[in-house]
Amino acid sequence: MTRKLRAVFARGGTSKGLIFHAADLPPERRHWDAIFLSAMGSPDPHGRQLDGMGGGVSSLSKVCVVGPPTRDDADVDYTFAQVQITKAMVDYAGNCGNMSSAIGPFAVDEGLVQVARDGEAVVRIHNTNTSKIIRSNFQVVHGTSAGDGDLVIPGVAGSGAPVRLDFLDPGGASTGKLLPSGQVCDWLEPAGGPPIVVSMVDAANACVFVAAVDLGLSGIELPDELAARPDILLRLEAIRASAAVAMGLAVSIEQAHGQPFIPLIGIVAPPQWSSTLSGDEISADAADLVVRMMSSGQPHRALPLTGSLCTAVAALIGGTVVERARRAAGAGSLRLAMPSGVLVVDAAVERDHLTSWRALHGSFFRTTRRLFEGFVHVREI
């Protein structure tokens, strides 16, 4: 037996996912997992999610829930769920920056937020995963969010209307601290390998950063090259799990392995020539930093936006692995060379009393598109 639930399927940045109204879901969240797993086609031992809406990779296996705000400084509440592909697991530990770009337009188009019929709309989004506010700015035409535009983002064919996202005071989104250990660098001793220097930073989502050279990598490897290196994947997961415990996100290595979404793990390298998935070249002068990231155990084909924001913040904190690898110190925009092209992220930090760092904001532009609206059929619980 199946039942149908109202839903919108949308692309947000370089991700795709289902968006539900909170009012259409059971009030108790313990009932959500079964719905989301069925809707996305998980678990699938073949890794393809053919029996659901998922696409077999982490960036295409996402669910968002939008409803009335529970804070006075927000217009809507938004909860993000990362649905695992091969496991019966739904992770609510962090947020997805790409899918966040779809939330403001969804709220306007669904009548959850009233705005002017034409002009710029501003929607204040309360992300319940991180308890942070995201400000979404976009154009409205004849009462609905604009879809057509000239903005091209790496990893997405064609162009669309820009959506500006401002993550306000993003530090400590996952752990309560911008620098969970209090240090800009730490030595970790991951299982099965030698100690390694990392930077653990928490802005928008918790991340652990490692220098490519310390992994025996150049930093310009494409996702398929990393996926073909089980030794590297095991090493990265061991580092990620060790960081999860050090950051207070897990009480044991075993628990950390069972929570694959955060911390995200970023591999950084100095600017250098690299190639994109489409075969385009990125010159050393076209970027300030080369970044590769893992998302839910898979090499990401673009970059998670929350991870990109955290990277930009980390690049402004003196002495981090990221700051050491970037082209030059200073505030403002950072150009990140990634497998799908170059992503520009703006961030600002401040330092108090020479020791305490605070992330003020992180901002970037995305495009979004509603792909279909209607009902998704899920198995009865």
Side-chain angles (χ1 to χ4, degrees), residues 182-216:
Q183 306 297 320
V184 295
C185 282
D186 290 274
W187 281 93
L188 293 182
E189 298 183 4
I196 191 166
V197 175
V198 304
S199 289
M200 296 179 288
V201 184
D202 180 6
N205 266 336
C207 294
V208 53
F209 297 99
V210 60
V213 65
D214 290 341
L215 295 169

PDB file of all heavy atoms in Angstrom, residues 182-216:
ATOM      1  N   GLY A 182      39.441  25.065  19.880  1.00  0.00           N
ATOM      2  CA  GLY A 182      40.093  26.270  20.356  1.00  0.00           C
ATOM      3  C   GLY A 182      41.389  26.575  19.645  1.00  0.00           C
ATOM      4  O   GLY A 182      42.035  27.596  19.912  1.00  0.00           O
ATOM      5  N   GLN A 183      41.795  25.704  18.703  1.00  0.00           N
ATOM      6  CA  GLN A 183      43.062  25.858  17.997  1.00  0.00           C
ATOM      7  C   GLN A 183      42.811  26.002  16.493  1.00  0.00           C
ATOM      8  O   GLN A 183      41.828  25.471  15.966  1.00  0.00           O
ATOM      9  CB  GLN A 183      43.963  24.646  18.242  1.00  0.00           C
ATOM     10  CG  GLN A 183      44.199  24.331  19.705  1.00  0.00           C
ATOM     11  CD  GLN A 183      44.933  25.437  20.444  1.00  0.00           C
ATOM     12  OE1 GLN A 183      45.859  26.043  19.894  1.00  0.00           O
ATOM     13  NE2 GLN A 183      44.521  25.711  21.674  1.00  0.00           N
ATOM     14  N   VAL A 184      43.720  26.692  15.805  1.00  0.00           N
ATOM     15  CA  VAL A 184      43.591  26.812  14.353  1.00  0.00           C
ATOM     16  C   VAL A 184      44.097  25.553  13.656  1.00  0.00           C
ATOM     17  O   VAL A 184      43.710  25.273  12.517  1.00  0.00           O
ATOM     18  CB  VAL A 184      44.329  28.057  13.821  1.00  0.00           C
ATOM     19  CG1 VAL A 184      43.683  29.324  14.350  1.00  0.00           C
ATOM     20  CG2 VAL A 184      45.810  28.012  14.166  1.00  0.00           C
ATOM     21  N   CYS A 185      44.963  24.804  14.315  1.00  0.00           N
ATOM     22  CA  CYS A 185      45.453  23.521  13.787  1.00  0.00           C
ATOM     23  C   CYS A 185      45.557  22.515  14.924  1.00  0.00           C
ATOM     24  O   CYS A 185      45.800  22.879  16.075  1.00  0.00           O
ATOM     25  CB  CYS A 185      46.833  23.672  13.128  1.00  0.00           C
ATOM     26  SG  CYS A 185      46.801  24.383  11.477  1.00  0.00           S
ATOM     27  N   ASP A 186      45.361  21.255  14.594  1.00  0.00           N
ATOM     28  CA  ASP A 186      45.469  20.171  15.565  1.00  0.00           C
ATOM     29  C   ASP A 186      46.115  18.967  14.900  1.00  0.00           C
ATOM     30  O   ASP A 186      46.008  18.779  13.685  1.00  0.00           O
ATOM     31  CB  ASP A 186      44.084  19.757  16.074  1.00  0.00           C
ATOM     32  CG  ASP A 186      43.448  20.800  16.963  1.00  0.00           C
ATOM     33  OD1 ASP A 186      43.721  20.800  18.176  1.00  0.00           O
ATOM     34  OD2 ASP A 186      42.674  21.632  16.439  1.00  0.00           O
ATOM     35  N   TRP A 187      46.751  18.142  15.718  1.00  0.00           N
ATOM     36  CA  TRP A 187      47.221  16.837  15.270  1.00  0.00           C
ATOM     37  C   TRP A 187      46.145  15.807  15.586  1.00  0.00           C
ATOM     38  O   TRP A 187      45.678  15.730  16.726  1.00  0.00           O
ATOM     39  CB  TRP A 187      48.513  16.455  15.984  1.00  0.00           C
ATOM     40  CG  TRP A 187      49.738  17.122  15.425  1.00  0.00           C
ATOM     41  CD1 TRP A 187      50.294  18.285  15.843  1.00  0.00           C
ATOM     42  CD2 TRP A 187      50.537  16.664  14.338  1.00  0.00           C
ATOM     43  NE1 TRP A 187      51.406  18.591  15.093  1.00  0.00           N
ATOM     44  CE2 TRP A 187      51.574  17.613  14.162  1.00  0.00           C
ATOM     45  CE3 TRP A 187      50.488  15.556  13.502  1.00  0.00           C
ATOM     46  CZ2 TRP A 187      52.553  17.463  13.180  1.00  0.00           C
ATOM     47  CZ3 TRP A 187      51.462  15.408  12.522  1.00  0.00           C
ATOM     48  CH2 TRP A 187      52.475  16.349  12.362  1.00  0.00           C
ATOM     49  N   LEU A 188      45.757  15.047  14.601  1.00  0.00           N
ATOM     50  CA  LEU A 188      44.855  13.918  14.826  1.00  0.00           C
ATOM     51  C   LEU A 188      45.621  12.623  14.600  1.00  0.00           C
ATOM     52  O   LEU A 188      46.583  12.587  13.827  1.00  0.00           O
ATOM     53  CB  LEU A 188      43.664  13.971  13.866  1.00  0.00           C
ATOM     54  CG  LEU A 188      42.656  15.113  14.034  1.00  0.00           C
ATOM     55  CD1 LEU A 188      41.529  14.956  13.030  1.00  0.00           C
ATOM     56  CD2 LEU A 188      42.108  15.158  15.451  1.00  0.00           C
ATOM     57  N   GLU A 189      45.162  11.567  15.271  1.00  0.00           N
ATOM     58  CA  GLU A 189      45.751  10.242  15.090  1.00  0.00           C
ATOM     59  C   GLU A 189      44.672   9.288  14.599  1.00  0.00           C
ATOM     60  O   GLU A 189      44.155   8.458  15.354  1.00  0.00           O
ATOM     61  CB  GLU A 189      46.367   9.756  16.400  1.00  0.00           C
ATOM     62  CG  GLU A 189      47.506  10.636  16.894  1.00  0.00           C
ATOM     63  CD  GLU A 189      48.161  10.103  18.144  1.00  0.00           C
ATOM     64  OE1 GLU A 189      47.774   9.007  18.597  1.00  0.00           O
ATOM     65  OE2 GLU A 189      49.079  10.767  18.667  1.00  0.00           O
ATOM     66  N   PRO A 190      44.316   9.393  13.318  1.00  0.00           N
ATOM     67  CA  PRO A 190      43.258   8.532  12.784  1.00  0.00           C
ATOM     68  C   PRO A 190      43.681   7.074  12.747  1.00  0.00           C
ATOM     69  O   PRO A 190      44.863   6.756  12.549  1.00  0.00           O
ATOM     70  CB  PRO A 190      43.036   9.078  11.369  1.00  0.00           C
ATOM     71  CG  PRO A 190      44.303   9.778  11.026  1.00  0.00           C
ATOM     72  CD  PRO A 190      44.855  10.313  12.307  1.00  0.00           C
ATOM     73  N   ALA A 191      42.721   6.187  12.926  1.00  0.00           N
ATOM     74  CA  ALA A 191      43.005   4.758  12.938  1.00  0.00           C
ATOM     75  C   ALA A 191      43.601   4.317  11.611  1.00  0.00           C
ATOM     76  O   ALA A 191      43.184   4.768  10.537  1.00  0.00           O
ATOM     77  CB  ALA A 191      41.723   3.977  13.221  1.00  0.00           C
ATOM     78  N   GLY A 192      44.579   3.433  11.688  1.00  0.00           N
ATOM     79  CA  GLY A 192      45.144   2.828  10.489  1.00  0.00           C
ATOM     80  C   GLY A 192      46.121   3.678   9.726  1.00  0.00           C
ATOM     81  O   GLY A 192      46.503   3.328   8.603  1.00  0.00           O
ATOM     82  N   GLY A 193      46.551   4.800  10.291  1.00  0.00           N
ATOM     83  CA  GLY A 193      47.470   5.650   9.560  1.00  0.00           C
ATOM     84  C   GLY A 193      48.249   6.552  10.493  1.00  0.00           C
ATOM     85  O   GLY A 193      47.978   6.609  11.704  1.00  0.00           O
ATOM     86  N   PRO A 194      49.229   7.281   9.974  1.00  0.00           N
ATOM     87  CA  PRO A 194      50.055   8.150  10.805  1.00  0.00           C
ATOM     88  C   PRO A 194      49.290   9.399  11.242  1.00  0.00           C
ATOM     89  O   PRO A 194      48.251   9.741  10.658  1.00  0.00           O
ATOM     90  CB  PRO A 194      51.208   8.518   9.863  1.00  0.00           C
ATOM     91  CG  PRO A 194      50.607   8.436   8.494  1.00  0.00           C
ATOM     92  CD  PRO A 194      49.629   7.302   8.551  1.00  0.00           C
ATOM     93  N   PRO A 195      49.785  10.109  12.247  1.00  0.00           N
ATOM     94  CA  PRO A 195      49.171  11.375  12.661  1.00  0.00           C
ATOM     95  C   PRO A 195      49.188  12.373  11.502  1.00  0.00           C
ATOM     96  O   PRO A 195      50.029  12.293  10.594  1.00  0.00           O
ATOM     97  CB  PRO A 195      50.057  11.848  13.817  1.00  0.00           C
ATOM     98  CG  PRO A 195      50.738  10.607  14.298  1.00  0.00           C
ATOM     99  CD  PRO A 195      50.928   9.746  13.093  1.00  0.00           C
ATOM    100  N   ILE A 196      48.249  13.329  11.545  1.00  0.00           N
ATOM    101  CA  ILE A 196      48.135  14.306  10.467  1.00  0.00           C
ATOM    102  C   ILE A 196      47.663  15.639  11.035  1.00  0.00           C
ATOM    103  O   ILE A 196      46.885  15.674  12.001  1.00  0.00           O
ATOM    104  CB  ILE A 196      47.182  13.807   9.362  1.00  0.00           C
ATOM    105  CG1 ILE A 196      47.272  14.682   8.117  1.00  0.00           C
ATOM    106  CG2 ILE A 196      45.739  13.709   9.880  1.00  0.00           C
ATOM    107  CD1 ILE A 196      46.620  14.069   6.888  1.00  0.00           C
ATOM    108  N   VAL A 197      48.152  16.714  10.449  1.00  0.00           N
ATOM    109  CA  VAL A 197      47.741  18.061  10.856  1.00  0.00           C
ATOM    110  C   VAL A 197      46.450  18.421  10.138  1.00  0.00           C
ATOM    111  O   VAL A 197      46.341  18.270   8.919  1.00  0.00           O
ATOM    112  CB  VAL A 197      48.832  19.100  10.527  1.00  0.00           C
ATOM    113  CG1 VAL A 197      48.335  20.514  10.846  1.00  0.00           C
ATOM    114  CG2 VAL A 197      50.097  18.802  11.307  1.00  0.00           C
ATOM    115  N   VAL A 198      45.472  18.921  10.894  1.00  0.00           N
ATOM    116  CA  VAL A 198      44.186  19.331  10.322  1.00  0.00           C
ATOM    117  C   VAL A 198      43.773  20.656  10.930  1.00  0.00           C
ATOM    118  O   VAL A 198      44.296  21.083  11.967  1.00  0.00           O
ATOM    119  CB  VAL A 198      43.077  18.289  10.587  1.00  0.00           C
ATOM    120  CG1 VAL A 198      43.468  16.923  10.065  1.00  0.00           C
ATOM    121  CG2 VAL A 198      42.727  18.226  12.074  1.00  0.00           C
ATOM    122  N   SER A 199      42.807  21.303  10.276  1.00  0.00           N
ATOM    123  CA  SER A 199      42.100  22.438  10.864  1.00  0.00           C
ATOM    124  C   SER A 199      40.637  22.073  10.955  1.00  0.00           C
ATOM    125  O   SER A 199      40.035  21.659   9.959  1.00  0.00           O
ATOM    126  CB  SER A 199      42.277  23.703  10.009  1.00  0.00           C
ATOM    127  OG  SER A 199      43.599  24.194  10.108  1.00  0.00           O
ATOM    128  N   MET A 200      40.087  22.211  12.156  1.00  0.00           N
ATOM    129  CA  MET A 200      38.679  21.906  12.391  1.00  0.00           C
ATOM    130  C   MET A 200      37.937  23.224  12.598  1.00  0.00           C
ATOM    131  O   MET A 200      38.197  23.948  13.562  1.00  0.00           O
ATOM    132  CB  MET A 200      38.530  20.986  13.598  1.00  0.00           C
ATOM    133  CG  MET A 200      39.172  19.617  13.381  1.00  0.00           C
ATOM    134  SD  MET A 200      39.064  18.486  14.801  1.00  0.00           S
ATOM    135  CE  MET A 200      40.228  19.249  15.934  1.00  0.00           C
ATOM    136  N   VAL A 201      37.045  23.539  11.657  1.00  0.00           N
ATOM    137  CA  VAL A 201      36.343  24.821  11.648  1.00  0.00           C
ATOM    138  C   VAL A 201      34.859  24.548  11.482  1.00  0.00           C
ATOM    139  O   VAL A 201      34.461  23.674  10.711  1.00  0.00           O
ATOM    140  CB  VAL A 201      36.862  25.738  10.511  1.00  0.00           C
ATOM    141  CG1 VAL A 201      36.198  27.104  10.562  1.00  0.00           C
ATOM    142  CG2 VAL A 201      38.383  25.880  10.586  1.00  0.00           C
ATOM    143  N   ASP A 202      34.044  25.306  12.199  1.00  0.00           N
ATOM    144  CA  ASP A 202      32.593  25.111  12.166  1.00  0.00           C
ATOM    145  C   ASP A 202      31.916  26.424  11.787  1.00  0.00           C
ATOM    146  O   ASP A 202      31.699  27.288  12.633  1.00  0.00           O
ATOM    147  CB  ASP A 202      32.107  24.614  13.529  1.00  0.00           C
ATOM    148  CG  ASP A 202      30.599  24.388  13.574  1.00  0.00           C
ATOM    149  OD1 ASP A 202      29.949  24.501  12.521  1.00  0.00           O
ATOM    150  OD2 ASP A 202      30.075  24.114  14.674  1.00  0.00           O
ATOM    151  N   ALA A 203      31.605  26.577  10.512  1.00  0.00           N
ATOM    152  CA  ALA A 203      30.861  27.736  10.020  1.00  0.00           C
ATOM    153  C   ALA A 203      29.879  27.239   8.967  1.00  0.00           C
ATOM    154  O   ALA A 203      30.297  26.696   7.945  1.00  0.00           O
ATOM    155  CB  ALA A 203      31.791  28.788   9.428  1.00  0.00           C
ATOM    156  N   ALA A 204      28.594  27.381   9.231  1.00  0.00           N
ATOM    157  CA  ALA A 204      27.494  26.865   8.396  1.00  0.00           C
ATOM    158  C   ALA A 204      27.349  25.356   8.547  1.00  0.00           C
ATOM    159  O   ALA A 204      26.243  24.847   8.696  1.00  0.00           O
ATOM    160  CB  ALA A 204      27.635  27.261   6.938  1.00  0.00           C
ATOM    161  N   ASN A 205      28.416  24.622   8.468  1.00  0.00           N
ATOM    162  CA  ASN A 205      28.515  23.204   8.823  1.00  0.00           C
ATOM    163  C   ASN A 205      29.927  22.951   9.324  1.00  0.00           C
ATOM    164  O   ASN A 205      30.879  23.615   8.891  1.00  0.00           O
ATOM    165  CB  ASN A 205      28.238  22.287   7.628  1.00  0.00           C
ATOM    166  CG  ASN A 205      26.790  21.835   7.533  1.00  0.00           C
ATOM    167  OD1 ASN A 205      26.063  21.801   8.519  1.00  0.00           O
ATOM    168  ND2 ASN A 205      26.365  21.473   6.333  1.00  0.00           N
ATOM    169  N   ALA A 206      30.074  22.000  10.203  1.00  0.00           N
ATOM    170  CA  ALA A 206      31.404  21.648  10.694  1.00  0.00           C
ATOM    171  C   ALA A 206      32.219  20.990   9.591  1.00  0.00           C
ATOM    172  O   ALA A 206      31.718  20.141   8.847  1.00  0.00           O
ATOM    173  CB  ALA A 206      31.289  20.707  11.888  1.00  0.00           C
ATOM    174  N   CYS A 207      33.493  21.380   9.474  1.00  0.00           N
ATOM    175  CA  CYS A 207      34.388  20.826   8.456  1.00  0.00           C
ATOM    176  C   CYS A 207      35.749  20.533   9.093  1.00  0.00           C
ATOM    177  O   CYS A 207      36.168  21.195  10.039  1.00  0.00           O
ATOM    178  CB  CYS A 207      34.597  21.815   7.308  1.00  0.00           C
ATOM    179  SG  CYS A 207      33.132  22.172   6.319  1.00  0.00           S
ATOM    180  N   VAL A 208      36.428  19.559   8.520  1.00  0.00           N
ATOM    181  CA  VAL A 208      37.823  19.299   8.866  1.00  0.00           C
ATOM    182  C   VAL A 208      38.615  19.400   7.574  1.00  0.00           C
ATOM    183  O   VAL A 208      38.250  18.810   6.551  1.00  0.00           O
ATOM    184  CB  VAL A 208      38.004  17.926   9.550  1.00  0.00           C
ATOM    185  CG1 VAL A 208      37.404  16.794   8.737  1.00  0.00           C
ATOM    186  CG2 VAL A 208      39.487  17.654   9.817  1.00  0.00           C
ATOM    187  N   PHE A 209      39.688  20.182   7.610  1.00  0.00           N
ATOM    188  CA  PHE A 209      40.487  20.437   6.418  1.00  0.00           C
ATOM    189  C   PHE A 209      41.864  19.809   6.555  1.00  0.00           C
ATOM    190  O   PHE A 209      42.475  19.846   7.633  1.00  0.00           O
ATOM    191  CB  PHE A 209      40.641  21.943   6.195  1.00  0.00           C
ATOM    192  CG  PHE A 209      39.346  22.660   5.943  1.00  0.00           C
ATOM    193  CD1 PHE A 209      38.697  23.337   6.960  1.00  0.00           C
ATOM    194  CD2 PHE A 209      38.766  22.647   4.680  1.00  0.00           C
ATOM    195  CE1 PHE A 209      37.499  23.990   6.733  1.00  0.00           C
ATOM    196  CE2 PHE A 209      37.565  23.302   4.434  1.00  0.00           C
ATOM    197  CZ  PHE A 209      36.927  23.980   5.470  1.00  0.00           C
ATOM    198  N   VAL A 210      42.346  19.262   5.445  1.00  0.00           N
ATOM    199  CA  VAL A 210      43.662  18.637   5.410  1.00  0.00           C
ATOM    200  C   VAL A 210      44.360  19.052   4.128  1.00  0.00           C
ATOM    201  O   VAL A 210      43.710  19.260   3.089  1.00  0.00           O
ATOM    202  CB  VAL A 210      43.540  17.093   5.506  1.00  0.00           C
ATOM    203  CG1 VAL A 210      42.724  16.541   4.352  1.00  0.00           C
ATOM    204  CG2 VAL A 210      44.906  16.433   5.566  1.00  0.00           C
ATOM    205  N   ALA A 211      45.667  19.221   4.194  1.00  0.00           N
ATOM    206  CA  ALA A 211      46.438  19.584   3.008  1.00  0.00           C
ATOM    207  C   ALA A 211      46.590  18.373   2.092  1.00  0.00           C
ATOM    208  O   ALA A 211      46.889  17.263   2.550  1.00  0.00           O
ATOM    209  CB  ALA A 211      47.809  20.115   3.410  1.00  0.00           C
ATOM    210  N   ALA A 212      46.373  18.579   0.796  1.00  0.00           N
ATOM    211  CA  ALA A 212      46.476  17.495  -0.177  1.00  0.00           C
ATOM    212  C   ALA A 212      47.838  16.817  -0.106  1.00  0.00           C
ATOM    213  O   ALA A 212      47.948  15.588  -0.184  1.00  0.00           O
ATOM    214  CB  ALA A 212      46.206  18.026  -1.582  1.00  0.00           C
ATOM    215  N   VAL A 213      48.892  17.615   0.059  1.00  0.00           N
ATOM    216  CA  VAL A 213      50.245  17.049   0.059  1.00  0.00           C
ATOM    217  C   VAL A 213      50.434  16.062   1.202  1.00  0.00           C
ATOM    218  O   VAL A 213      51.192  15.089   1.081  1.00  0.00           O
ATOM    219  CB  VAL A 213      51.295  18.190   0.127  1.00  0.00           C
ATOM    220  CG1 VAL A 213      51.212  18.957   1.440  1.00  0.00           C
ATOM    221  CG2 VAL A 213      52.696  17.652  -0.115  1.00  0.00           C
ATOM    222  N   ASP A 214      49.727  16.278   2.322  1.00  0.00           N
ATOM    223  CA  ASP A 214      49.862  15.373   3.456  1.00  0.00           C
ATOM    224  C   ASP A 214      49.149  14.045   3.241  1.00  0.00           C
ATOM    225  O   ASP A 214      49.317  13.105   4.026  1.00  0.00           O
ATOM    226  CB  ASP A 214      49.315  16.035   4.724  1.00  0.00           C
ATOM    227  CG  ASP A 214      50.204  17.182   5.199  1.00  0.00           C
ATOM    228  OD1 ASP A 214      51.375  17.227   4.789  1.00  0.00           O
ATOM    229  OD2 ASP A 214      49.724  18.023   5.981  1.00  0.00           O
ATOM    230  N   LEU A 215      48.349  13.976   2.169  1.00  0.00           N
ATOM    231  CA  LEU A 215      47.693  12.729   1.786  1.00  0.00           C
ATOM    232  C   LEU A 215      48.391  12.068   0.599  1.00  0.00           C
ATOM    233  O   LEU A 215      47.951  11.029   0.108  1.00  0.00           O
ATOM    234  CB  LEU A 215      46.233  12.987   1.410  1.00  0.00           C
ATOM    235  CG  LEU A 215      45.308  13.485   2.518  1.00  0.00           C
ATOM    236  CD1 LEU A 215      43.983  13.957   1.921  1.00  0.00           C
ATOM    237  CD2 LEU A 215      45.062  12.394   3.555  1.00  0.00           C
ATOM    238  N   GLY A 216      49.464  12.692   0.128  1.00  0.00           N
ATOM    239  CA  GLY A 216      50.140  12.190  -1.060  1.00  0.00           C
ATOM    240  C   GLY A 216      49.394  12.530  -2.335  1.00  0.00           C
ATOM    241  O   GLY A 216      49.557  11.854  -3.359  1.00  0.00           O
TER     242      GLY A 216
END
